[in-house]
Amino acid sequence: MAQITLKNLGKMFPPDVVAVADVNLTIGDGEFFVLLGPSGCGKSTTLRMIAGLEEATSGDILVDGRRVNDDDPADRDLAIVFQNYALYPHMTVAENLAFGLKLRKVAPTEITSRTAATSRMLGIEPLLKRKPRELSGGQQQRVALGRALVRQPKAFLFDEPLSNLDAKLRATMRTELIKLHQSLGATIVHVTHDQVEAMTMGQRICIMKDGHVVQVGPPMEVYRNPADTFVAGFLASPPMNLLDARVVDHAGGLAVALGEARLAVPGAFNGAYGAWRDRDVVFGIRPEDMHDGAGPGGRTPLDVRVVAVEALGPEVVLVAALADGREIHARLGPGFVAPIGSQQRLHLDLGAMHLFDRETRKAIAQRGTG
Amino acid sequence: MGGAVRWRGLLAHGVAALFCAAILLPLLWLVRVALTDKLTAYKLPPEWVTPRLHNFVEIFTDYPFLTYFINSVVVAAGSTAVALPLAAMMAYAFARYDTGGLPLRLFVLSSQMLPPVILVLPLFALFLWAQLLNTWFALIIAHLTISLPFLSWLLVAFFQGDVRLLEQAARIDGATRFQAFLKVTLPVTAPGLLSAGLLAFILSWNEFLFVLILSGPQTNTLPVGLSAFQTQRGVELALLSAATLVAIAPVFVLLPFMRRYLIKGLSLGALK
Ligand SMILES: Nc1ncnc2c1ncn2[C@@H]1O[C@H](COP(=O)(O)OP(=O)(O)O)[C@@H](O)[C@H]1O
Ligand SMILES: [Mg+2]
């Protein structure tokens, strides 16, 4: 198992596509690390540079402190699972598993025992004699995983391996990969554009955008303290509500001016937000921090018009419009009902609010002198 | 609505039937003439006689048809055996390393755009100087000027496809570039290579101009040899038909294979 360090890593495709720009990361030994970002943000390119399939145009890649930039992919001893599996079509499942071991001159008896153990663990024993084209998507996925596992490499690189599976199988495989990581204690770099995958699987997640790292941290920490509006709007579904607003004086303290509405800022934030008085900001609040009842107190009312009520079973997502027509999402209890077009009063938990600089889109610290 | 669909189906079948007839009728005519004797061959409207195979015997006994046939096999197989590995290497270099970039690729293609007659005269002069005229060797080289550029252009597509990712998987699994090529790329693209090889074989088999200029009686291949049937005692229509049928038989035997492998090669079906 290994630690992977990326220093000022960059990749430019001629003539001028900057796929990855100045990425600095340290992936700990035995860590389940997730690279998350929208399609085209440079996740795969980053992973392929680690694997040695793309040459870095700048920066260093270190495995256990040793620079591997110039090493052949074969010598890096990493395993990759591709999105479309890339199983060798002319070999049986057993041959696919054994291929890497044979190339590395592992003794035949050990190849047999390792192949057997891996296929038992993944439940693919009955498939060993089949060719990849005779397997379902889920089975191919397992074989691809097996081909990586059987090699016992220094680290595993997963490039969206679950994205071609149907929703149910994807959920099962998420759990299996988490279990697998726990039992092996392996270093895993998992690339995905699916924020649920990132939140549930990653010990730490790294959110990328346009080739840059935007934020790194444990999922819940990133969730609670998004570094900018991009992260805030990317995690969770529905994501954080983001509304252009201003900070104004209000009743001896501060308030967020949202059209005609004034949302009084909790006193604890006054110090930090004071500097933003009369300036343009983005107001952020998560759907679950809005309620349909006043609760035990301390909540701030906001009047909205009901646009749609989406009953999901365990919860209801209310799509509502502010007085000026801007839409927000709120997650309410399963009992919530309201006619479309009716007026409703939501109660906001402003202790969980966020403010972002309208220009730089970066989060404004809630405490301290920000 | 159903009626319209049926009419369109009928129309499509009608066009297809006409098309088939246009291709098949001359061939069927050829079969008929090849099975008649020399005199009935000329009769119009056609007269039906008991089909006989003597024409097929005669072309082998009274004419050097067997020599032509052997020449054709040697030249076609020889040029294919040289062209296929060379073209595969060239195409691989184009596909993987972009060797020479677009200019080199276009240059290779441009050699295909020259009328063959422009190439044949310098080749004649060269072979004359090297004393290679009227040899198999000269014909094989001449046919390479056709098949090598054509194949290397055709095969680029095979190496650019999904097999690239498989090769990368193999590299990660611990294979060197050469091992990845040998153990993954080659077996996976084999159907494509095979169909390209068959295509090169057929190209050489049917080639006329180079053989006409560069070879003599001992090394003539079938297309030129067949033209000889027209000159000795007028046009020996029945003999010519029989010879033509034997000459095109290999093409007909090979075509179904080529079709199957070409389709298989183009849709490797490796990834999904
Ligand atoms: N071989 C390539 N040549 C040119 N541009 C590329 C190549 N591979 C990727 N890119 C570009 O680099 C960017 C990042 O791609 P990628 O790493 O595949 O994104 P992701 O995996 O996050 O979807 C994209 O803009 C993509 O178009
Ligand atoms: Mg990708």
Side-chain angles (χ1 to χ4, degrees), chain B residues 142-204:
Chain B
H143 283 178
L144 281 177
T145 65
I146 303 173
S147 53
L148 195 53
F150 178 68
L151 282 196
S152 53
W153 188 264
L154 182 78
L155 288 175
V156 170
F158 287 109
F159 293 130
Q160 267 173 342
D162 291 342
V163 71
R164 187 182 200 122
L165 194 63
L166 296 177
E167 227 173 80
Q168 294 180 345
R171 302 267 286 129
I172 302 260
D173 259 350
T176 61
R177 274 188 193 281
F178 187 66
Q179 282 174 321
F181 179 77
L182 208 63
K183 296 186 172 179
V184 173
T185 313
L186 223 44
V188 170
T189 51
L193 294 175
L194 208 63
S195 60
L198 291 177
L199 207 59
F201 187 90
I202 291 173
L203 274 180
S204 167

Side-chain angles (χ1 to χ4, degrees), chain A residues 95-317:
Chain A
E95 287 164 343
N96 264 279
L97 294 183
F99 186 66
L101 297 177
K102 275 190 196 145
L103 286 172
R104 285 166 202 276
K105 306 256 176 346
V106 175
T109 50
E110 193 181 342
I111 293 182
T112 316
S113 66
R114 265 157 79 170
T115 308
T118 303
S119 49
R120 199 174 324 118
M121 180 166 68
L122 292 172
I124 53 174
E125 286 163 304
L127 311 177
L128 283 174
K129 291 207 173 63
R130 293 209 209 157
K131 292 274 180 71
R133 75 181 82 244
E134 299 160 339
L135 305 178
S136 71
Q139 291 170 331
Q140 292 189 6
Q141 207 273 342
R142 281 173 177 276
V143 175
L145 195 59
R147 186 173 66 180
L149 288 176
V150 75
R151 281 206 7 236
Q152 304 173 355
K154 282 189 187 155
F156 294 94
L157 310 173
F158 295 160
D159 193 355
E160 312 213 20
L162 307 185
S163 64
N164 283 347
L165 303 179
D166 62 57
K168 199 169 161 218
L169 197 53
R170 202 179 316 151
T172 316
M173 281 312 292
R174 275 206 305 265
T175 319
E176 287 209 27
L177 284 182
I178 295 169
K179 282 194 211 151
L180 197 72
H181 173 251
Q182 276 165 358
S183 67
L184 295 177
T187 309
I188 297 179
V189 186
H190 180 97
V191 160
T192 181
H193 65 267
D194 179 350
Q195 48 92 15
V196 177
E197 235 171 88
M199 291 294 291
T200 53
M201 296 169 78
Q203 290 175 320
R204 278 193 308 152
I205 61 180
C206 163
I207 296 174
M208 290 184 70
K209 184 193 177 194
D210 299 336
H212 291 270
V213 170
V214 183
Q215 193 172 5
V216 186
M220 279 318 286
E221 206 177 294
V222 176
Y223 183 79
R224 287 204 194 94
N225 302 303
D228 65 8
T229 53
F230 173 75
V231 176
F234 197 73
L235 290 182
S237 169
M240 185 185 288
N241 295 294
L242 295 169
L243 300 160
D244 284 354
R246 282 177 79 81
V247 177
V248 295
D249 280 316
H250 177 71
L254 292 175
V256 173
L258 213 55
E260 294 303 309
R262 295 286 178 275
L263 305 175
V265 171
F269 301 160
N270 274 351
Y273 288 163
W276 291 83
R277 188 181 287 112
D278 292 325
R279 285 169 70 179
D280 287 336
V281 294
V282 176
F283 168 72
I285 185 143
R286 292 217 177 263
E288 62 268 31
D289 295 322
M290 298 194 271
H291 310 271
D292 54 341
R299 289 178 181 167
T300 309
L302 178 67
D303 289 324
V304 295
R305 183 170 46 83
V306 176
V307 174
V309 178
E310 299 166 355
L312 301 179
E315 65 181 17
V316 169
V317 172

Side-chain angles (χ1 to χ4, degrees), chain B residues 15-132:
Chain B
V15 171
L18 276 178
F19 195 71
C20 288
I23 293 174
L24 278 179
L25 278 181
L27 285 175
L28 292 176
W29 190 264
L30 213 56
V31 174
R32 188 195 75 88
V33 174
L35 295 174
T36 59
D37 58 67
K38 292 183 183 98
L39 288 177
T40 22
Y42 286 93
K43 293 228 171 95
L44 269 175
E47 240 175 59
W48 296 100
V49 291
T50 329
R52 293 191 310 159
L53 292 172
H54 66 100
N55 289 322
F56 291 94
V57 178
E58 206 171 308
I59 53 172
F60 282 102
T61 52
D62 296 4
Y63 292 86
F65 188 80
L66 185 64
T67 314
Y68 300 154
F69 199 90
I70 292 172
N71 289 339
S72 270
V73 170
V74 170
V75 171
S79 64
T80 304
V82 177
L84 194 56
L86 286 182
M89 287 189 240
M90 234 156 91
Y92 190 79
F94 281 150
R96 263 324 152 271
Y97 306 101
D98 200 25
T99 307
L102 194 60
L104 187 59
R105 278 193 218 193
L106 288 179
F107 178 71
V108 168
L109 188 69
S110 70
S111 69
Q112 290 288 281
M113 292 172 182
L114 293 176
V117 72
I118 292 186
L119 274 179
V120 78
L121 293 178
L123 276 178
F124 181 83
L126 278 174
F127 290 143
L128 183 66
W129 170 80
Q131 302 198 329
L132 284 173

